[in-house]
Protein backbone atom coordinates (compact mmCIF):
# COMPACT_ATOMS: atom_id res chain seq x y z
CA UNK A 1 0.00 0.00 0.00
CA UNK A 2 2.86 2.40 0.75
CA UNK A 3 4.10 2.07 -2.83
CA UNK A 4 0.64 2.76 -4.23
CA UNK A 5 0.12 5.82 -1.99
CA UNK A 6 3.56 7.11 -2.86
CA UNK A 7 3.02 6.62 -6.60
CA UNK A 8 -0.41 8.28 -6.57
CA UNK A 9 0.98 11.28 -4.66
CA UNK A 10 3.85 11.53 -7.16
CA UNK A 11 1.57 11.37 -10.23
CA UNK A 12 -1.29 13.44 -8.79
CA UNK A 13 0.19 15.72 -6.11
CA UNK A 14 -3.06 17.66 -5.56
CA UNK A 15 -5.12 14.51 -4.92
CA UNK A 16 -6.02 13.75 -1.31
CA UNK A 17 -4.92 10.20 -0.59
CA UNK A 18 -5.67 8.27 2.57
CA UNK A 19 -4.24 5.13 4.07
CA UNK A 20 -6.95 2.72 5.12
CA UNK A 21 -7.57 -0.15 7.43
CA UNK A 22 -4.81 1.12 9.71
CA UNK A 23 -4.71 -1.15 12.76
CA UNK A 24 -1.33 -0.35 14.30
CA UNK A 25 0.87 2.67 14.96
CA UNK A 26 3.53 1.24 12.61
CA UNK A 27 1.00 1.21 9.77
CA UNK A 28 0.12 4.87 10.50
CA UNK A 29 3.84 5.70 10.34
CA UNK A 30 4.12 3.91 6.98
CA UNK A 31 1.14 5.94 5.69
CA UNK A 32 2.84 9.12 6.84
CA UNK A 33 6.16 8.13 5.24
CA UNK A 34 4.46 7.36 1.92
CA UNK A 35 2.71 10.75 1.81
CA UNK A 36 -0.84 9.85 2.85
CA UNK A 37 -2.90 12.92 3.69
CA UNK A 38 -5.05 11.11 6.26
CA UNK A 39 -5.53 7.75 7.96
CA UNK A 40 -8.69 5.67 8.31
CA UNK A 41 -9.12 2.79 10.72
CA UNK A 42 -11.99 0.34 11.25
CA UNK A 43 -12.04 1.02 15.00
CA UNK A 44 -10.94 3.54 17.57
CA UNK A 45 -7.44 2.55 18.68
CA UNK A 46 -6.06 4.99 21.27
CA UNK A 47 -2.40 4.37 20.32
CA UNK A 48 -2.95 4.89 16.60
CA UNK A 49 -5.14 7.95 17.25
CA UNK A 50 -2.66 9.57 19.63
CA UNK A 51 0.20 8.92 17.19
CA UNK A 52 -1.72 10.58 14.36
CA UNK A 53 -2.75 13.53 16.51
CA UNK A 54 0.84 14.04 17.68
CA UNK A 55 2.06 13.96 14.06
CA UNK A 56 -0.86 16.16 12.91
CA UNK A 57 -2.14 13.46 10.56
CA UNK A 58 -5.93 13.60 10.24
CA UNK A 59 -7.39 10.31 11.46
CA UNK A 60 -10.88 8.97 10.87
CA UNK A 61 -11.50 6.05 13.24
CA UNK A 62 -14.44 3.70 13.07
CA UNK A 63 -16.96 4.29 15.86
CA UNK A 64 -20.47 2.90 16.29
CA UNK A 65 -21.23 3.18 20.00
CA UNK A 66 -21.79 6.04 22.43
CA UNK A 67 -18.69 4.96 24.35
CA UNK A 68 -16.54 5.15 21.20
CA UNK A 69 -18.06 8.52 20.30
CA UNK A 70 -17.36 9.83 23.80
CA UNK A 71 -13.76 8.57 23.66
CA UNK A 72 -13.32 10.21 20.25
CA UNK A 73 -14.76 13.42 21.70
CA UNK A 74 -12.30 13.33 24.60
CA UNK A 75 -9.44 12.92 22.10
CA UNK A 76 -10.59 16.02 20.23
CA UNK A 77 -11.71 14.29 17.03
CA UNK A 78 -14.51 15.67 14.87
CA UNK A 79 -14.82 13.21 11.94
CA UNK A 80 -15.71 9.55 12.46
CA UNK A 81 -16.14 6.55 10.21
CA UNK A 82 -19.36 4.70 11.10
CA UNK A 83 -18.36 1.11 10.34
CA UNK A 84 -19.90 -1.30 9.59
CA UNK A 85 -22.83 1.01 8.94
CA UNK A 86 -25.67 -1.29 7.93
CA UNK A 87 -24.76 -4.02 10.40
CA UNK A 88 -24.50 -1.48 13.25
CA UNK A 89 -27.93 0.10 12.94
CA UNK A 90 -27.58 2.22 9.82
CA UNK A 91 -28.92 5.73 9.40
CA UNK A 92 -31.27 5.44 12.38
CA UNK A 93 -28.39 4.75 14.77
CA UNK A 94 -26.29 7.55 13.29
CA UNK A 95 -29.26 9.90 13.79
CA UNK A 96 -29.67 8.74 17.40
CA UNK A 97 -25.96 9.19 18.18
CA UNK A 98 -25.91 12.65 16.60
CA UNK A 99 -28.31 13.95 19.28
CA UNK A 100 -25.81 13.78 22.18
CA UNK A 101 -22.82 14.17 19.85
CA UNK A 102 -23.75 16.93 17.39
CA UNK A 103 -20.11 17.92 16.90
CA UNK A 104 -19.23 14.88 14.78
CA UNK A 105 -19.28 14.63 11.01
CA UNK A 106 -19.80 10.98 10.12
CA UNK A 107 -18.77 8.85 7.15
CA UNK A 108 -20.81 5.63 6.98
CA UNK A 109 -19.14 2.67 5.27
CA UNK A 110 -19.93 -1.02 5.21
CA UNK A 111 -23.07 -2.22 3.51
CA UNK A 112 -23.94 1.18 2.06
CA UNK A 113 -25.61 0.65 -1.30
CA UNK A 114 -26.76 3.13 -3.92
CA UNK A 115 -30.32 2.34 -2.79
CA UNK A 116 -29.48 3.40 0.80
CA UNK A 117 -27.36 6.41 -0.16
CA UNK A 118 -30.13 9.02 0.11
CA UNK A 119 -31.10 7.71 3.56
CA UNK A 120 -27.58 8.41 4.81
CA UNK A 121 -26.82 11.56 2.85
CA UNK A 122 -30.02 13.25 4.03
CA UNK A 123 -28.68 13.28 7.61
CA UNK A 124 -27.01 16.63 8.38
CA UNK A 125 -24.15 14.95 10.25
CA UNK A 126 -23.17 12.72 7.30
CA UNK A 127 -20.15 14.17 5.54
CA UNK A 128 -19.77 11.43 2.91
CA UNK A 129 -20.45 7.72 2.39
CA UNK A 130 -18.25 4.86 1.33
CA UNK A 131 -19.70 2.52 -1.25
CA UNK A 132 -17.67 -0.40 -2.49
CA UNK A 133 -20.46 -1.19 -4.97
CA UNK A 134 -18.80 1.39 -7.23
CA UNK A 135 -15.54 -0.56 -7.38
CA UNK A 136 -16.62 -4.12 -6.64
CA UNK A 137 -13.84 -6.68 -6.89
CA UNK A 138 -15.50 -8.36 -9.87
CA UNK A 139 -15.69 -5.06 -11.78
CA UNK A 140 -11.98 -4.47 -11.26
CA UNK A 141 -10.95 -8.05 -11.95
CA UNK A 142 -12.92 -8.08 -15.21
CA UNK A 143 -11.70 -4.55 -16.05
CA UNK A 144 -15.25 -3.23 -16.33
CA UNK A 145 -14.14 0.41 -16.28
CA UNK A 146 -17.31 1.69 -17.92
CA UNK A 147 -19.45 0.04 -15.21
CA UNK A 148 -17.26 1.61 -12.51
CA UNK A 149 -17.62 4.99 -14.22
CA UNK A 150 -21.39 4.50 -14.47
CA UNK A 151 -21.81 3.57 -10.78
CA UNK A 152 -19.56 6.45 -9.74
CA UNK A 153 -21.47 8.96 -11.89
CA UNK A 154 -24.83 7.69 -10.62
CA UNK A 155 -23.57 8.10 -7.07
CA UNK A 156 -22.37 11.66 -7.63
CA UNK A 157 -25.72 12.60 -9.20
CA UNK A 158 -27.69 11.00 -6.37
CA UNK A 159 -25.62 12.85 -3.73
CA UNK A 160 -26.12 16.15 -5.59
CA UNK A 161 -29.89 15.52 -5.71
CA UNK A 162 -30.10 14.68 -2.00
CA UNK A 163 -28.07 17.74 -1.02
CA UNK A 164 -30.13 20.01 -3.27
CA UNK A 165 -33.34 18.66 -1.73
CA UNK A 166 -31.91 19.12 1.76
CA UNK A 167 -31.04 22.75 1.01
CA UNK A 168 -34.55 23.42 -0.30
CA UNK A 169 -36.17 21.58 2.62
CA UNK A 170 -37.58 18.87 0.35
CA UNK A 171 -36.28 15.81 2.20
CA UNK A 172 -38.43 12.80 1.48
Amino acid sequence: AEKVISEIKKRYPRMLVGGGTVLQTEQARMCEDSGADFVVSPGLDIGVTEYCLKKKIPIIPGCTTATEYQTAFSLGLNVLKFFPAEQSGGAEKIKALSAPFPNFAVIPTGGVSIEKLDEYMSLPCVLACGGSYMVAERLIREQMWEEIRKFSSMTVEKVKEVRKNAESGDIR
Side-chain angles (χ1 to χ4, degrees):
E2 309 98 274
K3 290 177 184 176
V4 172
I5 293 169
S6 198
E7 188 63 30
I8 291 171
K9 290 303 287 184
K10 190 173 10 174
R11 288 187 190 189
Y12 307 98
R14 293 179 37 200
M15 182 182 288
L16 288 177
V17 180
T21 315
V22 173
L23 303 173
Q24 302 169 325
T25 303
E26 178 60 20
Q27 291 172 321
R29 185 195 61 71
M30 290 182 338
C31 289
E32 176 188 26
D33 291 348
S34 63
D37 297 295
F38 62 94
V39 165
V40 181
S41 61
L44 177 60
D45 181 277
I46 302 296
V48 170
T49 301
E50 288 178 340
Y51 174 86
C52 289
L53 292 172
K54 180 180 174 188
K55 296 290 195 160
K56 298 188 179 356
I57 304 166
I59 179 162
I60 306 169
C63 297
T64 60
T65 67
T67 300
E68 292 167 334
Y69 271 53
Q70 191 159 341
T71 301
F73 177 79
S74 71
L75 290 166
L77 300 177
N78 56 17
V79 179
L80 304 176
K81 173 180 171 179
F82 191 82
F83 171 80
E86 279 296 294
Q87 298 83 345
S88 298
E92 286 302 312
K93 187 167 182 183
I94 291 171
K95 186 176 177 182
L97 285 167
S98 73
F101 300 103
N103 55 300
F104 288 116
V106 181
I107 303 171
T109 68
V112 177
S113 64
I114 195 159
E115 294 81 18
K116 292 269 186 175
L117 193 58
D118 54 346
E119 187 178 335
Y120 286 104
M121 290 304 300
S122 66
L123 296 175
C125 65
V126 172
L127 178 64
C129 288
S132 58
Y133 63 88
M134 291 179 277
V135 289
E137 185 180 335
R138 179 184 68 80
L139 298 176
I140 294 170
R141 186 179 58 249
E142 295 176 18
Q143 299 183 10
M144 299 175 73
W145 313 128
E146 185 55 32
E147 287 296 307
I148 291 171
R149 189 201 63 73
K150 183 179 92 179
F151 281 128
S152 299
S153 294
M154 285 172 39
T155 300
V156 168
E157 289 309 311
K158 188 160 194 148
V159 169
K160 284 180 183 177
E161 179 185 332
V162 170
R163 288 189 173 159
K164 180 180 160 197
N165 290 340
E167 287 173 12
S168 69
D170 183 27
I171 297 179
R172 300 174 207 278

